[in-house]
Amino acid sequence: MLEEYFGLKEKPFSKTPDPRYLYLSSVHEEALARLQYAVEEREMVLLTGEVGCGKTTLTRALMDELDDTAYQIVLIINPRLSPAQFLKAVAKRLDITETPRFRQELLDIIYERLYQLDTAGINTVIIIDEAQLIPRRETFEEIRLLTNFQLDHKNLLSIILVAQPDLKRRFAHRVYRPLLQRIALYFHLPPLTEDETEEYIKHRLRVAGATADVFDKEAIRLIYKYSGGIPRVINTLATNAMLEAIGSDKRIVDASCVRRALSEIEFLQICTQVQTSRDKAWTSQR
Ligand SMILES: Nc1ncnc2c1ncn2[C@@H]1O[C@H](COP(=O)(O)OP(=O)(O)O)[C@@H](O)[C@H]1O
Ligand SMILES: [Mg+2]
């Protein structure tokens, strides 16, 4: 209904990850370049960003860019794992079928596999998303020990830790110092700026088939203001504002549509969760 009303081919702000909708600001480009550098150089990198900022999207973009004949990717998206479960998860994704009883044996098998991959010219990349959910320091210790896998002083794998910024607070404790020393690169993905929010919205609409403006300037300004530039919140707010426009028979989504969309309780809850300090003022204005 939304598509037909606005003359689009697809829903512009849908949740399904689709590389065609990828929007890369200069900051995203830089983040992606650092991730690429980390995998090429087989380093450990930490990428942080608030919820909904686009961290997972960025790692998917990286995976899409890596040639699958040259890279073996081990993706761990739910890292609530004990050290033993973590090693088993890595082994499984490296197509290791043996299930030895002892940790050291499993480590030996993993090492052997990494060595084989390296000999075949394949670069192993472990991506751990939502790394702030890793419950215990011991699991981080296991991750750190994987970086000891070397051959002729060359690392056998790269590790990408993706996390919410809180993890940095945890890492500040001295027990994490050995791990921190292994992290060669760090990048924080900020929310979009106002100009980027506008480009992001227009980009998504263009990909969805828009040939004319769907939102007016003031609507975009308000979306930015209320979303704090967080793409996931922009998506929700933009979709709801479009639905409000349909409800009130408007061809262009204007500020009143955005305000009405905002008053939806559900959205307010999302807003409260992600509200950034930069945009704290908005609640008092409503
Ligand atoms: N660079 C981007 N280009 C296009 N869409 C994006 C981008 N970044 C985020 N999004 C959108 O925002 C949503 C949330 O992003 P996500 O990567 O899941 O955030 P995070 O992992 O930081 O919580 C995604 O589903 C996607 O629709
Ligand atoms: Mg994510």
Side-chain angles (χ1 to χ4, degrees):
M1 137 175 153
L2 189 143
E3 298 95 298
E4 288 105 72
Y5 187 87
F6 289 101
L8 307 171
K9 294 196 282 285
E10 299 164 16
K11 288 192 179 57
F13 301 101
S14 110
K15 287 193 187 84
T16 38
D18 182 338
R20 289 178 308 134
Y21 282 94
L22 182 69
Y23 162 77
L24 292 178
S25 68
S26 54
V27 175
H28 286 99
E29 298 265 15
E30 193 187 335
L32 201 52
R34 291 209 197 181
L35 296 180
Q36 269 156 346
Y37 175 85
V39 299
E40 276 159 25
E41 297 298 318
R42 303 184 175 190
E43 297 283 11
M44 170 137 69
V45 57
L46 171 64
L47 173 72
T48 61
E50 298 292 344
V51 183
C53 251
K55 304 181 293 298
T56 300
T57 306
L58 204 64
T59 53
R60 293 295 139 84
L62 174 77
M63 286 161 65
D64 286 344
E65 288 202 357
L66 299 178
D67 173 357
D68 19 312
T69 58
Y71 288 91
Q72 164 81 45
I73 297 186
V74 172
L75 178 62
I76 298 185
I77 52 173
N78 181 5
R80 284 180 214 265
L81 302 169
S82 67
Q85 289 168 329
F86 172 76
L87 277 191
K88 280 186 196 148
V90 170
K92 193 171 160 209
R93 286 166 184 75
L94 287 171
D95 302 320
I96 292 169
T97 48
E98 295 104 311
T99 49
R101 275 184 52 208
F102 298 107
R103 171 181 169 276
Q104 192 53 48
E105 276 175 72
L106 184 56
L107 277 175
D108 289 346
I109 296 169
I110 293 175
Y111 180 82
E112 187 56 35
R113 178 86 185 115
L114 292 174
Y115 174 70
Q116 280 168 0
L117 287 165
D118 180 66
T119 312
I122 296 174
N123 220 327
T124 303
V125 184
I126 301 185
I127 302 178
I128 305 170
D129 204 349
E130 305 282 6
Q132 78 283 348
L133 297 178
I134 292 176
R136 288 155 50 191
R137 185 177 67 86
E138 289 77 4
T139 304
F140 278 113
E141 189 59 9
E142 206 66 89
I143 294 170
R144 181 180 74 85
L145 292 175
L146 285 183
T147 65
N148 284 348
F149 285 159
Q150 290 189 333
L151 188 72
D152 305 331
H153 300 293
K154 184 175 78 169
N155 291 338
L156 280 179
L157 78 171
S158 54
I159 300 178
I160 300 180
L161 294 174
V162 180
Q164 289 170 20
D166 285 1
L167 185 65
K168 277 189 297 173
R169 223 165 301 150
R170 216 166 131 194
F171 278 179
H173 196 280
R174 65 181 166 75
V175 295
Y176 287 101
R177 216 167 282 162
L179 175 74
L180 283 184
Q181 283 173 1
R182 302 292 172 97
I183 298 178
L185 293 111
Y186 166 61
F187 198 86
H188 178 74
L189 193 62
L192 303 180
T193 63
E194 187 167 350
D195 286 349
E196 288 163 359
T197 300
E198 179 170 357
E199 285 171 18
Y200 172 83
I201 291 173
K202 291 188 169 167
H203 168 73
R204 279 190 162 265
L205 284 163
R206 245 190 330 266
V207 176
T211 48
D213 281 347
V214 175
F215 291 80
D216 73 13
K217 265 228 154 311
E218 186 59 9
I220 292 178
R221 196 185 69 76
L222 284 185
I223 291 176
Y224 167 69
K225 184 173 169 191
Y226 296 147
S227 66
I230 307 248
R232 185 177 291 143
V233 186
I234 297 174
N235 290 354
T236 311
L237 186 48
T239 302
N240 281 282
M242 287 171 86
L243 293 172
E244 290 292 341
I246 298 174
S248 42
D249 244 355
K250 290 184 177 170
R251 286 285 140 197
I252 295 271
V253 182
D254 62 15
S256 70
C257 301
V258 179
R259 284 205 189 87
R260 272 201 304 278
L262 254 181
S263 65
E264 310 267 320
I265 289 290
E266 193 188 344
F267 180 71
L268 274 180
Q269 286 166 347
I270 303 167
C271 253
T272 330
Q273 283 163 16
V274 298
Q275 199 176 6
T276 57
S277 52
R278 182 150 57 105
D279 289 288
K280 285 249 160 74
W282 74 268
T283 28
S284 56
Q285 290 166 9
R286 295 193 67 233

